[in-house]
């Protein structure tokens, strides 16, 4: 175990004890280095590149007028850099480019005036003291030091990011060694573009206290769930990590917790320690993986070049890099998954799979790998960021009481099967499960999201009968048994959802079968997890309904191949003729909000207003609309606290319990 590092409790300003240099003004897409906190004038003089004061035992040994001249020269250089950046911004305006860097203009102009005032005042024969001169220069305007925060990046002064927290949870797993301990796997934004992986070993005073906050383990194989911590735990961790010196690999935070006299959860200061988590680091084998990445000739980006905008799921973030918007999947932790799966290795397998499928236009395109700034640790990988997925298009249409025209949905069905056919020819089992895995590009074409491992659900008809233990069990199927025939079975459900114009299946099968059970989500009747699907709604061509039924055949050998399914489509689609208006579908149904949509687990209603979220049930992905709450519907365990949330500024914010 590596030597433990001390940590201070409380929200104090961060000091970067590693003494890295700073860069004051940046060109677009240029990364600023971490730096120390706010500086007095003498500290600035000591850090001036040409300054010799730091070599002297006393500042009094060095003439002040020479120090002042050096300061003026440095400020002139900074002002020149500002002018260059302003010139770049003006050129961007003239070309009609609306990139986020334009939002810097007003701040840049203000700071340029501050620097000019600094130079003017510092050159005035009438000034009294250096400190007073800087106070005068900054009076009534932003702080005279553009990077007064511990780590400076341009997006701090723009609206390009929508991150409301620094803590992003991958998994919350009960320790097998101590029932009082909960392992929290966290990706932490230490600074604007500096990210760290942290495992918090939260040891509670008693098993009962732990159970009051964490009833179940939530693993990271529930990828498309944006997990969150209980508010009091989040505050404690945020306070600790703010002042902590974290490792570039994986940090282990040992956190003993107790309750104070008021019953509030608090950390025991003397028991907190920070170490490098050697066991997790060893399981990553990053040295070998980085060597493999080099041999694969992957494009490499440093994390300092990547601006994170917002989070969409457990480990996926929308980012801005190299003048374009991408999706970044953050690296996972080896022990964050269940069933003895090395989650970091699965992350790497997905990276290799996407890289091997480059040029296959029917899937989201691999862009590159993100390494830390020392090139010793893998931070994530980048892939194409689609305009939408079909789930979101249906969400948008439903919120407008509208539908996507059948001809467009039919064309999407053709493209989806074409993509599955192409991947099967390459020997890839798609594992297609839900509509959010099918992206829609700006021209209306689709692209699939593929992965080597997914969390397969044995509910709502997703799972093929040969992978189920019984027709009603909720146990997840074995991933090892999936094959091309199971792909076709699930494809039948996707086609049925296209025909029904239905994104969420919660409560839908009960409604189709006139089921009266309340709550519907607890219904375990065979119709909630069907093999044969209900008849399609009116207006759907007969050939399409027949195709769905063939895909859902109980006998795997009776299911057609993807190639055979394509032969069933009309001649105009076989000829590649797409329906009119498909390229305008994104404009017709614009995204209703940032991130994943919320569907009520009881009635299936899309909700963007107040709803109630359980961070435990369904792997932390259980939500109820206000209507169902008024009907006294609750989650699986009535003892769980439901958090009221609301869509605000494109993001869901917690409003209390």
């Amino acid at each position: 175990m590596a030597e433990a590092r001390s940590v201070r409790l409380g929200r104090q300003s961060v000091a970067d004890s590693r003494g890295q240099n700073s860069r004051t003004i940046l060109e677009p897409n240029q990364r600023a280095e971490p730096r120390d906190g706010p500086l007095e004038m003498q500290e600035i003089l000591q850090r001036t590149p040409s300054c010799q004061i730091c070599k002297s035992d006393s500042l009094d040994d060095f003439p002040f007028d020479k120090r002042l001249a050096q300061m003026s020269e440095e400020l002139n250089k900074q002002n020149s850099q500002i002018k260059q950046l302003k010139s770049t911004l003006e050129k961007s305006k003239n070309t009609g480019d609306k990139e986020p860097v334009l939002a810097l203009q007003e701040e840049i102009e203000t700071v340029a005036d501050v620097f000019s005032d600094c130079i003017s005042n510092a050159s005035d024969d009438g000034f009294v003291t250096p400190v007073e001169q800087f106070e005068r220069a900054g009076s009534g305007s932003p702080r005279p030091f553009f990077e007064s925060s511990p780590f400076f990046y341009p997006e701090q002064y723009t609206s390009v990011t929508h991150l409301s927290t620094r803590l992003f949870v991958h998994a919350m797993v009960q320790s097998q060694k101590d029932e009082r301990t909960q392992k929290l796997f966290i990706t932490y934004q230490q600074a604007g573009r500096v990210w760290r992986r942290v495992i918090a070993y939260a040891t509670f005073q008693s098993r009962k206290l732990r159970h009051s906050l964490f009833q179940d383990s939530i693993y990271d194989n529930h990828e498309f769930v944006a997990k969150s911590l209980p508010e009091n735990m989040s505050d404690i961790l945020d306070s600790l990590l703010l002042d902590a010196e974290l490792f570039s690999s994986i940090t282990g935070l040992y956190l003993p917790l107790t309750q104070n006299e008021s019953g509030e959860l608090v950390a025991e200061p003397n028991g907190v320690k920070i170490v490098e988590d050697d066991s997790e680091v060893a399981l990553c084998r990053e040295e070998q993986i980085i060597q493999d990445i080099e041999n694969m000739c992957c494009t490499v980006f440093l994390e300092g070049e990547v601006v994170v905008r917002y989070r969409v799921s457990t480990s996926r973030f929308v980012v801005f890099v190299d003048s374009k918007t991408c999706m970044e999947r953050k690296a996972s932790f080896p022990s964050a998954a269940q069933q003895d799966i090395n989650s970091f290795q699965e992350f790497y397998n997905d990276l290799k799979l996407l890289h091997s499928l480059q040029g296959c236009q029917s899937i989201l395109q691999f862009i590159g790998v993100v390494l830390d700034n020392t090139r010793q640790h893998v931070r994530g990988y980048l892939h194409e960021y689609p305009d939408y997925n079909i789930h979101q298009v249906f969400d948008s249409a439903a919120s407008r009481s509208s539908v996507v025209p059948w001809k467009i949905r039919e064309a999407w069905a053709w493209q989806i099967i074409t993509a599955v056919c192409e991947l099967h020819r390459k020997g890839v089992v798609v594992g297609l499960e839900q509509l959010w895995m099918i992206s829609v590009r700006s021209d209306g074409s689709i692209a699939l999201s593929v992965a080597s491992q997914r969390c397969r659900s044995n509910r709502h008809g997703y799972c093929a009968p040969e992978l189920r233990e019984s027709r009603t069990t909720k146990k997840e199927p074995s991933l090892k048994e999936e094959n091309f025939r199971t792909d076709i079975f699930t494809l039948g459900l996707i086609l049925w959802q296209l025909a029904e114009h239905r994104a969420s299946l919660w409560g839908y099968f009960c409604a189709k079968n006139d089921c009266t059970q309340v709550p519907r989500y607890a219904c375990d009747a065979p119709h909630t997890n069907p093999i044969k699907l209900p008849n399609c709604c009116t207006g759907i061509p007969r050939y399409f309904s027949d195709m769905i039924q063939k895909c859902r055949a109980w006998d795997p050998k009776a299911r057609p191949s993807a190639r055979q399914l394509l032969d069933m489509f009309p001649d105009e689609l076989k000829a590649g003729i797409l329906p009119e208006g498909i390229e305008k579908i994104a404009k017709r149904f614009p995204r209703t909000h940032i991130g994943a949509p919320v569907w009520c687990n009881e009635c299936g209603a899309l909700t963007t207003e107040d709803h109630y979220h359980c961070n435990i049930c369904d792997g932390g992905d259980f939500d109820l609309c206000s209507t169902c709450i008024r009907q006294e519907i609750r989650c699986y365990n009535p003892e769980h606290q439901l958090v009221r949330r609301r869509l605000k500024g494109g993001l869901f914010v917690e409003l209390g319990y």
Side-chain angles (χ1 to χ4, degrees), residues 407-589:
K407 282 296 182 183
I408 292 178
R409 287 180 280 151
E410 184 183 38
W412 283 344
W414 163 265
Q415 293 178 358
I416 291 167
I417 298 174
T418 300
V420 171
C421 182
E422 183 177 7
L423 290 171
H424 283 185
R425 284 203 303 266
K426 294 179 179 294
V428 176
V429 175
V430 184
L432 197 63
E433 184 174 291
Q434 299 188 45
L435 291 182
W436 48 251
M437 295 173 58
I438 307 169
S439 301
V440 182
R441 295 188 173 111
S442 58
D443 61 357
S445 63
I446 64 96
L448 303 186
S449 172
V450 297
S452 59
Q453 295 276 3
R454 291 192 192 277
C455 177
R456 312 290 191 249
S457 300
N458 187 9
R459 63 185 179 193
H460 296 163
Y462 294 135
C463 186
E466 61 268 28
L467 300 183
R468 307 184 190 188
E469 290 186 357
S470 71
R471 294 187 61 177
T472 58
T473 182
K474 296 296 186 293
K475 184 177 179 180
E476 293 176 356
S478 170
L479 301 174
K480 298 179 181 179
E481 299 176 6
E482 290 188 326
N483 52 53
F484 297 156
R485 298 297 183 184
T486 60
D487 267 355
I488 297 299
F489 181 86
T490 311
L491 180 60
L493 180 60
I494 296 293
L495 299 177
W496 186 80
Q497 287 181 263
L498 287 174
E500 292 286 300
H501 200 282
R502 187 72 184 180
S504 171
L505 295 174
W506 283 107
Y508 194 58
F509 288 123
C510 284
K512 295 284 284 187
N513 288 274
D514 299 322
C515 178
T516 58
Q517 175 162 335
V518 177
R520 284 178 172 174
Y521 67 74
C523 180
D524 60 358
H527 65 251
T528 63
N529 193 20
I531 302 296
K532 182 180 179 181
L533 297 170
N535 294 330
C536 293
C537 57
T538 58
I540 302 302
R542 178 62 180 271
Y543 86 88
F544 202 84
S545 297
D546 292 343
M547 184 163 51
I548 292 171
Q549 297 306 323
K550 290 181 179 180
C551 290
R552 302 291 292 186
W554 187 287
D555 182 2
K557 297 179 181 179
R559 298 169 200 156
S561 67
R563 177 71 263 175
Q564 291 171 326
L565 291 175
L566 290 175
D567 293 335
M568 301 175 67
F569 278 87
D571 292 338
E572 59 266 24
L573 284 175
K574 293 179 183 178
I577 302 174
L578 298 179
E580 183 179 355
I582 192 171
E583 74 285 354
K584 300 178 182 178
I585 196 67
K587 293 182 179 179
R588 181 174 176 181
F589 299 109

Side-chain angles (χ1 to χ4, degrees), residues 22-26 30-35 104 108 146-157 191-193:
S22 65
R23 169 175 278 124
T24 301
I25 302 299
L26 298 110
Q30 190 174 12
R31 177 181 59 83
E33 297 292 341
R35 59 163 289 169
L104 277 171
I108 293 294
F146 194 31
E147 315 127 79
S148 59
S149 63
F151 299 91
F152 166 76
Y153 295 94
E155 57 268 23
Q156 289 175 307
Y157 299 90
R193 305 184 197 175

Side-chain angles (χ1 to χ4, degrees), residues 291-308:
Q291 179 75 44
D292 293 345
I293 289 170
E294 182 179 345
N295 292 336
M296 289 189 294
C297 299
C298 294
T299 301
V300 172
F301 299 89
L302 301 183
E303 66 176 340
E305 301 173 297
V306 180
V307 179
V308 176

Side-chain angles (χ1 to χ4, degrees), residues 230-245:
E231 185 176 3
N232 50 355
M233 277 297 303
S234 181
D235 289 342
I236 292 172
L237 288 168
D238 198 26
S239 177
L240 288 170
L241 295 175
L242 185 64
D243 286 334
E245 185 180 353

Side-chain angles (χ1 to χ4, degrees), residues 7-8 10 14 166-167 186-190 198 200 234-246 251 253 274:
V7 59
R8 299 189 303 276
V14 182
R166 292 172 176 267
L167 296 165
I186 297 166
T187 296
Y188 179 67
Q189 186 186 30
Q190 188 176 26
V198 178
S234 181
D235 289 342
I236 292 172
L237 288 168
D238 198 26
S239 177
L240 288 170
L241 295 175
L242 185 64
D243 286 334
E245 185 180 353
L246 305 178
T251 300
L253 169 62
I274 290 180

